[in-house]
């Protein structure tokens, strides 16, 4: 049985492995991705290709993807990525499966990943891009001490870019 890299009161956080895709794939919906720059994979083969790129980025020490699972039953809850680990401004990104929204899992998990990233990188600050309308995600960035330092236009939405100082 694999061991979590991080833990919170309700979650085990594992480094992504290919066998996680069987749980991840059905949870990525068009509703979930309305505030994401990407669209859901159209097939399991497509998500497998994406998973392979995550493993390559992991082996190159540029990205780390954390799979969030409920401690009680190991049900998949969501995913948090720390991208561009080899730069002074790594980027945080996350999503929680729809039926687990508004239960505090994102806040609980992002705090653990943020602490980990703060001690395992030499970040000047973390980037956290988020759709302007995505208030729950904006509150997470502000909870971590982030301030809006930029704007950008994505294909699906207008975004703000938070800068979050290391923990």
């Amino acid at each position: 049985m694999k061991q979590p890299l991080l833990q919170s009161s309700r979650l085990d956080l594992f480094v992504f492995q290919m066998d996680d895709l069987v749980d991840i794939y059905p949870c990525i919906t068009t509703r979930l991705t309305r505030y994401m720059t990407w669209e859901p994979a159209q097939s399991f083969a497509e998500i497998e290709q994406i998973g392979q790129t995550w493993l390559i980025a992991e082996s190159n020490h540029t990205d780390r993807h954390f799979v969030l699972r409920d401690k009680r039953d190991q049900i998949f809850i969501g995913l948090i990525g720390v991208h561009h680990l080899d730069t002074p401004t790594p980027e945080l990104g996350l999503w929680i499966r729809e039926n687990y929204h508004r239960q505090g899992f994102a806040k609980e998990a992002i705090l653990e990943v943020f602490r980990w990233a703060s001690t395992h990188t030499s970040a000047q600050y973390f980037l956290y891009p988020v759709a302007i309308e995505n208030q729950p995600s904006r509150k997470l960035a502000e909870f971590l001490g982030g301030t809006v330092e930029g704007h950008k236009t994505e294909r699906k939405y207008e975004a703000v870019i938070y800068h979050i100082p290391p923990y």
Side-chain angles (χ1 to χ4, degrees), residues 6-21:
L6 303 171
Q7 293 184 302
S8 67
S9 61
R10 298 180 295 165
L11 295 169
D12 287 332
L13 290 81
F14 297 91
V15 174
F16 167 77
Q17 295 180 351
M18 288 299 283
D19 61 357
D20 293 312
L21 291 174

Side-chain angles (χ1 to χ4, degrees), residues 101-121:
H101 283 184
R102 303 196 187 284
Q103 297 177 43
F105 288 109
K107 186 176 187 180
E108 189 174 318
I110 195 73
L111 183 58
E112 294 305 319
V113 172
F114 174 63
R115 286 176 177 158
W116 173 88
S118 292
T119 60
H120 287 83
T121 68

Side-chain angles (χ1 to χ4, degrees), residues 6 8 10-16 20 23-24 65-71 74-81 93-97 105-110 112-113:
L6 303 171
S8 67
R10 298 180 295 165
L11 295 169
D12 287 332
L13 290 81
F14 297 91
V15 174
F16 167 77
D20 293 312
D23 296 327
I24 293 170
H65 292 86
F66 292 92
V67 174
L68 319 176
R69 293 189 177 276
D70 189 306
K71 270 188 177 177
Q74 294 301 299
I75 294 218
F76 171 76
I77 305 280
L79 202 60
I80 296 180
L94 76 118
W95 61 269
I96 302 295
R97 66 189 282 173
F105 288 109
K107 186 176 187 180
E108 189 174 318
I110 195 73
E112 294 305 319
V113 172

Side-chain angles (χ1 to χ4, degrees), residues 14-132:
F14 297 91
V15 174
F16 167 77
Q17 295 180 351
M18 288 299 283
D19 61 357
D20 293 312
L21 291 174
V22 82
D23 296 327
I24 293 170
Y25 178 67
C27 297
I28 303 174
T29 65
T30 50
R31 180 170 161 72
L32 177 80
T33 61
R34 73 189 177 282
Y35 294 136
M36 313 260 187
T37 58
W38 45 275
E39 299 296 337
Q42 296 301 301
S43 66
F44 194 77
E46 185 180 337
I47 195 84
E48 284 180 312
Q49 289 176 332
I50 294 165
Q52 289 293 340
T53 66
W54 294 348
L55 293 178
I56 291 166
E58 173 83 24
S59 69
N60 291 334
H61 308 288
T62 60
D63 290 45
R64 168 80 39 103
H65 292 86
F66 292 92
V67 174
L68 319 176
R69 293 189 177 276
D70 189 306
K71 270 188 177 177
R72 295 171 300 168
D73 52 20
Q74 294 301 299
I75 294 218
F76 171 76
I77 305 280
L79 202 60
I80 296 180
V82 186
H83 312 285
H84 317 294
L85 288 165
D86 56 339
T87 72
T89 56
E91 184 175 307
L92 299 167
L94 76 118
W95 61 269
I96 302 295
R97 66 189 282 173
E98 288 180 76
N99 57 331
Y100 281 80
H101 283 184
R102 303 196 187 284
Q103 297 177 43
F105 288 109
K107 186 176 187 180
E108 189 174 318
I110 195 73
L111 183 58
E112 294 305 319
V113 172
F114 174 63
R115 286 176 177 158
W116 173 88
S118 292
T119 60
H120 287 83
T121 68
S122 32
Q124 292 173 6
Y125 57 87
F126 294 90
L127 297 172
Y128 189 88
V130 59
I132 290 172

